[in-house]
Amino acid sequence: MLSTVRGKTMREINAVAYEDDLITVVHVEHFASQGDLIPQWLGEGKYRDHPRSKFGKLARASVNRAIDRFA
């Protein structure tokens, strides 16, 4: 568990992200995914309402939160 290595308690942001006072960890689709997996995860084009797109939306929101937090 990351909190053991970091020595801090991680707070859950949402289903794909967590943070402590210094870092934000966001789980994303594997870069080597093939076929429709990345567009589904991103919710692009015909996959705008795909069930997996919720994870991409949560990841984007978490990254934006981290940028705002440390800007």
Side-chain angles (χ1 to χ4, degrees):
M1 181 162 250
L2 188 58
S3 59
T4 302
V5 175
R6 295 271 309 140
K8 298 177 183 258
T9 301
M10 303 300 288
R11 297 177 296 276
E12 183 177 306
I13 297 171
N14 57 41
V16 298
Y18 42 95
E19 67 187 3
D20 64 18
D21 295 334
L22 186 60
I23 68 168
T24 300
V25 177
V26 181
H27 296 275
V28 299
E29 182 69 47
H30 194 276
F31 69 92
S33 294
Q34 297 181 11
D36 293 336
L37 293 178
I38 294 289
Q40 289 170 356
W41 190 82
L42 291 171
E44 293 180 337
K46 66 182 180 182
Y47 300 112
R48 188 177 56 126
D49 297 321
H50 193 278
R52 293 180 34 135
S53 69
K54 68 181 176 187
F55 299 115
K57 292 172 186 170
L58 290 172
R60 281 192 296 273
S62 301
V63 169
N64 288 331
R65 172 190 166 103
I67 290 169
D68 292 342
R69 195 173 146 210
F70 296 107

